[in-house]
Amino acid sequence: MSGSFVMVALDVPLNRLFGYGVGDFDPQVGQRVIVPFGPRQLSGLVIERRADAGDFTGKTRNILAVRDDLPALPAATLALCQFVADYYHHPLGAVISSALPTVFRNVPAFKAPAPACVYYTPDLAQLLASIGKRAHAQRRVAESLALPHTPAALRRVHDSGVKWAKGWLEAGLICTAAETSLLAAPSPCLPLNSEQSYAVSQLSSAQGFQPFLLYGITGSGKTEVYLQTIAAVLARNEQVLVLIPEINLTPQLEGRFRARFPGVHMACLHSGLNDTERAVNWLAALSGDARIVLGTRLAVFTPLPQLGMIVVDEEHDPSFKQQDGLRYSARDVAVYRARTVDVPIVLGSATPSIESWANARAGRYDILPLRERAVRGAVLPKITLLPVKKAGLIDGFNRMAFAKMHEVLERGEQVLVFINRRGYSPVLQCGECGWMASCKHCSARLVLHLRDRRLRCHHCGFEEAITHACPDCGNQDLKPVGQGTQRLEESLATHFPGKTILRIDRDSTRRKGEMDAALAQVHSGEADILIGTQMLAKGHDFDRLNLVIALNADTGLFSVDFRAEERLFALLTQVAGRAGRRETPGEVMIQTAFADHPFYHQLLGRDYTPFAERTLQERTEMLLPPAAAWALFRAEAPDIELALGILKLIRACFEQLDGSLLQPITLNQPVAATMVKRAGVERAQLLIAAPQRAQLQRALHQAMPHVEVIKTGKGRWTLDVDPIEI
């Protein structure tokens, strides 16, 4: 044995390892073990073997079991978790626990199910002929089987997809085979223009750590560049990790990847999988069987023994930053991982984050531009600004918007009405005294959901029945103010009778399979008018969609968040990119009260570069990220004074630092958060800044041992390094 003791990382809120005797076992570094912890038993990971228990004090107990359901994690994975723990100042055990599938955090051993199979149909016409024409859901599932689908993929099409597939299998209408079998010829590579060809050649020939910024306009064929580059990586017998920001983008990308690489084992990792499915896919990646791993944020930790390339699609998306618990940036962790294992990484976006733009300007990233749309003859949509002041709006729409909608619908094309606000109305107000329905637990208004007859808080989830009279003055004439997706659906049904209107937001796609079913309706042409939030703004490719109308776009122009304009530019660029992606020119109409704002002039220019340059210059002059490094302490308590008091104690820990460490640090005063009250607690924040990340990290490493022992009473604090929300 290499030592009689092991140091174990446990998922507890203590920033340390725990020493245990090995007893009769011989655990290896990286293996999963079961240990006693007080009266409980916990699952942990062995980090080190040694001859003593290190700095662990007290009576040492022995481990209880070694689980062989999880192979020992590679040293590279443990090193990545250690980096994340050190950089984001989070307990190593909690980092490892977040990185592992849920089943490996439990005490019982995980028993893997039988190997996955796929369903497919050799004769789609025969299968469809056996299904009634009005059985739309069954027909959607059947049509999906033109390509091989795993049971998990079928469930995402419809909850009953597997049940129907088993019936069709018994009837001899479809077939099944091992998932890795070659079931169809791969979809052909699409022709590349000169810029795409150059990008593929650069990426395919890259060796060692090389970060690339694939900067391509919407519809420029970034996904085809990924696919042809991945083919070259797979030809070298290497694995590929592809990160995407949201689960809603997974089905479409998964379909394209499986069609292009039908004989390649691909593992998907996202929150739409159950615990067993995620564990099986994760183990396939660890063993090297899965050659492509496609996943959301947490997939960045997936062990890949033959990793050859990392791709981060829509790298600017804030969804890559975890906002609770372990607050890490999957994009930044992916770049670090690529550097440590010495492989290329591709960051793709039509509107790169200002952080990535700064890295490219400094020469740290190589820019690969894609300035043309991939489909020959396709052009960027025309953008028109429609005034809302003194325009005589009809149910919130400029008359020109309605006229254009009629024109497009008459041609048999589709329209997308975009508003980033769900519900019926954001405010229920009394016209007499001005009272507005507010959340009892947050500093926020309740949103009216008229169909459910409820008022809901979109921050904490509190809801109540709609009040019939003003609680302040008794007036019964309460009016909804403003528009949400539900109100738009109601008004558009009145103005466009006979047209099929489809609303796609978090409320309408809450249940499993609903999002995929809605997208299938769009692609099949069943829907004429789409109403959607940012769920529809990116990644989707609709052939017949040629008009986008964006409402309520001005909210990001005057926000306290310095990143608001950057996010608004990205959002409007993405939603505009849904229009006219084929030969038919598209059009985008944006309703605004500030048509003369410099922001819109740059948006109309259709070139992100001037906006990015201006924004980067402004942040450099004002010492805002990425020209500075930030860490944000947040405190929550029953009252604001306690929250501020906790932050004052934290600030004092930094004030006591050595002068050389403190000199470059800016210690701001604790202040109340923008939303002071949320979910029943009062919130405050403390911002700490430094010119460089290394300076900030040195200060944090010195101060955190003192911060961690602060007595907070009924309050609590959290640390967010590189925060994206202030």
Side-chain angles (χ1 to χ4, degrees), residues 222-556:
K222 292 186 289 295
T223 302
E224 186 62 27
V225 170
Y226 299 151
L227 289 169
Q228 296 198 24
T229 300
I230 288 170
V233 177
L234 295 176
R236 301 195 294 263
N237 199 31
E238 296 174 335
Q239 294 171 288
V240 179
L241 173 62
V242 182
L243 297 178
I244 57 177
E246 295 182 12
I247 183 177
N248 294 327
L249 302 179
T250 308
Q252 185 168 329
L253 268 181
E254 181 180 353
R256 291 192 64 177
F257 273 66
R258 289 194 186 279
R260 183 64 59 87
F261 307 111
V264 176
H265 190 165
M266 185 172 76
C268 288
L269 295 169
H270 52 74
S271 59
L273 304 177
N274 62 38
D275 291 345
T276 298
E277 290 168 341
R278 183 162 185 262
V280 168
N281 288 354
W282 197 87
L283 288 172
L286 172 58
S287 68
D289 291 339
R291 311 310 294 170
I292 301 173
V293 172
L294 173 66
T296 48
R297 196 168 50 221
L298 267 177
V300 73
F301 294 103
T302 308
L304 296 156
Q306 290 98 37
L307 181 61
M309 176 173 282
I310 300 175
V311 176
V312 184
D313 191 28
E314 308 290 359
E315 65 85 26
H316 67 277
D317 199 292
S319 298
F320 280 121
K321 180 67 187 285
Q322 173 77 20
Q323 294 296 343
D324 53 24
L326 170 59
R327 292 169 168 82
Y328 69 99
S329 166
R331 179 198 63 207
D332 295 349
V333 173
V335 173
Y336 176 84
R337 181 176 183 179
R339 181 162 66 86
T340 56
V341 299
D342 201 27
V343 299
I345 181 169
V346 188
L347 307 175
S349 177
T351 52
S353 65
I354 300 303
E355 286 78 7
S356 294
W357 190 267
N359 281 324
R361 286 296 310 274
R364 290 186 285 269
Y365 294 175
D366 291 330
I367 292 187
L368 297 174
L370 301 176
R371 304 179 186 89
E372 301 175 6
R373 285 203 151 182
V375 175
R376 188 181 295 260
V379 296
L380 287 171
K382 173 187 175 184
I383 296 181
T384 304
L385 300 181
L386 299 180
V388 296
K389 291 181 178 178
K390 301 179 181 178
L393 301 183
I394 305 172
D395 286 344
F397 285 86
N398 185 292
R399 295 176 186 272
M400 292 176 60
F402 269 154
K404 180 59 69 171
M405 288 177 70
H406 280 289
E407 177 186 326
V408 169
L409 292 171
E410 284 298 315
R411 296 200 302 261
E413 298 167 357
Q414 292 171 321
V415 176
L416 168 61
V417 178
F418 172 78
I419 183 169
N420 206 22
R421 182 178 284 165
R422 59 192 176 95
Y424 185 87
S425 170
V427 176
L428 182 66
Q429 185 176 33
C430 172
E432 291 293 325
C433 69
W435 168 90
M436 290 182 281
S438 300
C439 179
K440 298 177 181 177
H441 309 290
C442 300
S443 304
R445 306 296 180 195
L446 291 175
V447 177
L448 174 63
H449 287 251
L450 192 60
R451 287 188 178 180
D452 299 330
R453 308 298 299 170
R454 308 291 287 176
L455 292 165
R456 290 188 182 131
C457 177
H458 288 179
H459 298 280
C460 73
F462 169 78
E463 63 177 72
E464 64 183 16
I466 299 175
T467 180
H468 296 290
C470 174
D472 288 354
C473 71
N475 174 37
Q476 295 186 359
D477 187 20
L478 303 181
K479 300 186 186 226
V481 179
Q483 290 178 304
T485 52
Q486 293 177 9
R487 191 172 192 177
L488 283 178
E489 184 180 18
E490 180 181 276
S491 63
L492 288 175
T494 302
H495 291 285
F496 297 93
K499 297 299 181 182
T500 302
I501 299 173
L502 181 63
R503 173 170 58 88
I504 301 180
D505 57 21
R506 196 182 304 171
D507 297 314
S508 67
T509 59
R510 185 175 293 126
R511 287 190 290 271
K512 193 172 184 178
E514 287 182 324
M515 182 65 179
D516 293 332
L519 293 177
Q521 279 186 268
V522 181
H523 287 295
S524 67
E526 296 177 41
D528 301 305
I529 301 174
L530 314 181
I531 301 171
T533 60
Q534 61 182 348
M535 294 174 67
L536 282 181
K538 53 203 168 193
H540 302 294
D541 193 353
F542 304 131
D543 289 348
R544 294 174 50 238
L545 179 60
N546 283 315
L547 174 63
V548 172
I549 298 174
L551 307 180
N552 198 37
D554 295 333
T555 53

